[in-house]
């Protein structure tokens, strides 16, 4: 007797103990899913795939491929396990954080503007090396960013919700901000992380400091940041903003010291091989009756 | 009896055995330099500072702050040592190489164009993680780039002029190019490195590969590259080109798959603390009569 699994990709190694059906989130799901015991949700495919969960009577486990699964919890029947995609986006987000930092420090917006007009005008730039970088949010994404920063000989100052060995608590920010060259925010959205950076914190930063956000837009008071960037006191490089999308006529878009990308840090090619490795590991565990990784409930 | 040294910066630690005069390359040099024994050349300050060398009768050593010193050799009197600035720019160039790679892989030109119009349109991007990167040129700059690439979980394939343990020879490029996602050139200009990447090599790369150059422009056949990028076969991210400056009407400037910066990889803030540390080390050695570092002649 083999167990049946529902998978988003057909190029996975499926153990002999399992049979697979496939649903990539496009069009209708396959018929006859009454015996599906493990459902790996298609990634970033809109609201339809989760709606299938309550319609699978033999379901034992759901594997999501995002890190945040709060929206799924109400759909998970009693006794069904839910595993998340924690870590699958870490490197993608870290890469984008580095891209934003280096773009700002090495003046890429200027060079791209010059490229459009064929101008070879040169200038010395800022650097990342030797910069003191407050890394606010020190989970697995923060640590992936730290590895990049250390390769570039920046000084990393880790900050987390609560102080622990070698890590500052977020309540120490007032003491840490005045000596920071760069602040990188990698915070999840919680009531405690809303508005962590407001006008007071921006005023505490040294002139010309760079504020980077790859966590959630709500961590920064957008109005206060817009004012500080417009006055030339700080620079900003943001993949997330509050609200999203940023309205087309928002003044932050066109300020000289601002770089904005449209919440694309997590969505890059590096996700897929990591997601497929996790799913194959989970299939092997499921086939042998071993506990799944990343179980949330 | 103290020895006299001529320095470009006044904020250096000068050993008690030495007295210092200062010349930053702007305006006229100070008078009465007949007893100067060590001259640290001001950095990137035009043709005047080197002309002082033959006019210092007590000179024993010259410290240049650039890695290449070929242009200085004819000015150095017999018996005067010349030390170069090898390594001072490594991290600056590595940072810029990473900025170019990540800008191309994470679609920064697209996001910057969208920023100008306030557009939030999103798209999955390429990534650096998992990419196979040929690092052509494996000196100290190449190794600084490698540390960044390893932090980002790219696969690094080092290539140097001659094969050695764990390093491919440049004659193996025809075998290596077909599996490369990214080629990073960090080659000095020599007769052997001219045109290392021409139409044949570009044709050997996989569709969509990225060619990055932070070494010398002459390593790439600009015409062949322009054709390959125009045809959409490869992408390019270049800090150096042949010729420099690239003429304002050159078609490469405005091709979709090309990123061009005006030879600014070496010139960033990270240079100064490293240069000052080297000069202070050299002053300590000079004061004690110990051999200088980085001696070329």
């Amino acid at each position: 007797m083999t167990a049946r699994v529902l998978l988003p990709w057909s190029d996975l190694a499926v153990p002999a103990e399992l049979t697979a059906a496939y649903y990539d989130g496009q069009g209708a799901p396959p018929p006859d899913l009454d015996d599906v015991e493990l459902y790996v949700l298609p990634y970033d495919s809109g609201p339809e795939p989760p709606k299938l969960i309550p319609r699978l009577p033999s379901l034992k486990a759901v594997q999501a491929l995002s890190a945040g699964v709060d929206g799924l919890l109400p759909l998970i029947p009693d006794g069904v396990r839910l595993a998340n995609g924690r870590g699958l986006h870490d490197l993608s987000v870290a890469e984008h954080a580095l891209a934003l930092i280096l773009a700002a420090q090495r003046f890429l917006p200027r060079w791209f503007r010059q490229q459009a007009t064929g101008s070879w005008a040169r200038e010395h730039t800022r650097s990342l090396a030797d910069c003191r970088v407050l890394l606010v949010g020190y989970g697995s994404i923060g640590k992936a960013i730290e590895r990049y920063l250390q390769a570039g000989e920046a000084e990393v100052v880790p900050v987390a919700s609560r102080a622990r060995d070698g890590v500052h608590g977020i309540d120490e920010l007032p003491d840490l901000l005045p000596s920071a060259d760069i602040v990188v925010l990698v915070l999840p959205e919680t009531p405690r992380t809303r508005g962590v950076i407001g006008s007071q914190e921006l005023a505490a930063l040294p002139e010309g400091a760079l504020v980077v956000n790859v966590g959630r837009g709500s961590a920064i008071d957008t109005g206060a940041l817009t004012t500080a960037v417009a006055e030339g006191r700080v620079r900003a490089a943001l993949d997330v903003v509050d609200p999203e999308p940023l309205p087309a006529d928002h003044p932050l878009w066109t300020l000289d010291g601002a770089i904005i990308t449209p919440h694309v840090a997590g969505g890059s090619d590096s996700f897929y091989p990591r997601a497929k490795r996790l799913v194959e590991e989970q299939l092997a565990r499921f086939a042998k009756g071993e506990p799944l990784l990343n179980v949330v409930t």
Side-chain angles (χ1 to χ4, degrees), chain A:
Chain A
M1 182 68 197
T2 60
R4 196 126 174 272
V5 297
L6 183 57
L7 304 176
W9 302 298
S10 57
D11 58 350
L12 297 169
V14 178
E17 296 91 335
L18 306 175
T19 61
Y22 298 98
Y23 172 46
D24 66 2
Q26 306 303 308
D32 304 327
L33 297 176
D34 282 1
D35 55 351
V36 164
E37 297 183 12
L38 170 66
Y39 176 23
V40 180
L41 279 167
Y43 174 64
D44 203 8
S45 303
E48 290 309 313
K51 291 183 187 164
L52 195 57
I53 296 172
R55 292 163 44 204
L56 302 173
S58 306
L59 199 62
K60 293 181 177 168
V62 174
Q63 171 71 54
L65 297 174
S66 56
V69 292
D70 288 357
L72 292 176
L73 288 173
L75 296 168
I76 307 294
D78 281 349
V80 171
R81 279 159 296 162
L82 171 63
N84 71 10
R86 192 166 67 82
L88 300 179
H89 300 269
D90 293 358
L91 210 59
S92 184
V93 176
E95 267 182 24
H96 199 77
L98 249 286
L100 290 174
I101 292 170
L102 291 175
Q105 297 302 94
R106 304 306 299 250
F107 300 2
L108 292 193
R110 171 175 168 169
W111 310 134
F112 289 8
R113 277 194 304 272
Q114 287 192 185
Q115 187 177 342
T117 64
S119 159
W120 193 259
R122 302 171 65 209
E123 190 192 359
H124 242 67
T125 72
R126 293 173 187 263
S127 188
L128 167 58
D130 308 322
C131 282
R132 191 173 161 87
V133 184
L134 296 195
L135 195 49
V136 186
Y138 196 55
S140 55
I141 296 175
K143 284 172 185 139
I145 296 173
E146 183 180 41
R147 288 192 289 275
Y148 260 124
L149 295 174
Q150 286 173 337
E153 298 187 20
E155 181 196 354
V156 179
V157 181
V159 182
S161 333
R162 283 176 204 80
R164 51 185 198 260
D165 218 26
V167 182
H168 294 273
I170 209 162
D171 51 329
E172 298 172 61
L173 272 183
D175 297 330
L176 298 170
L177 291 166
S179 63
D181 300 300
I182 301 174
V183 180
V184 182
L185 298 168
V186 208
L187 293 166
E189 180 151 13
T190 74
R192 295 189 57 212
T193 60
R194 278 198 78 83
V196 158
I197 300 293
S199 54
Q200 224 175 325
E201 290 73 24
L202 292 166
L205 283 167
E207 184 89 13
L210 174 67
V211 178
V212 178
N213 195 355
V214 292
R216 286 294 175 261
S218 61
I220 301 181
D221 176 336
T222 305
L225 182 66
T226 304
T227 303
V229 174
E231 290 173 353
R233 287 188 284 116
V234 303
R235 299 170 296 135
L238 312 169
D239 185 55
V240 291
V241 287
D242 180 27
E244 284 181 19
L246 191 67
D249 59 353
H250 196 286
L252 190 56
W253 277 117
T254 48
L255 290 180
D256 238 3
I259 291 173
I260 302 171
T261 60
H263 202 148
V264 291
S268 77
D269 286 352
S270 68
F271 165 74
Y272 295 98
R274 285 165 182 75
K276 288 177 179 178
R277 281 200 296 270
L278 172 67
V279 172
E280 290 182 342
E281 170 68 23
Q282 300 286 56
L283 291 175
R285 286 166 173 262
F286 194 78
K288 288 186 271 183
E290 292 174 359
L292 297 181
L293 300 172
N294 293 5
V295 170
V296 180
T297 63

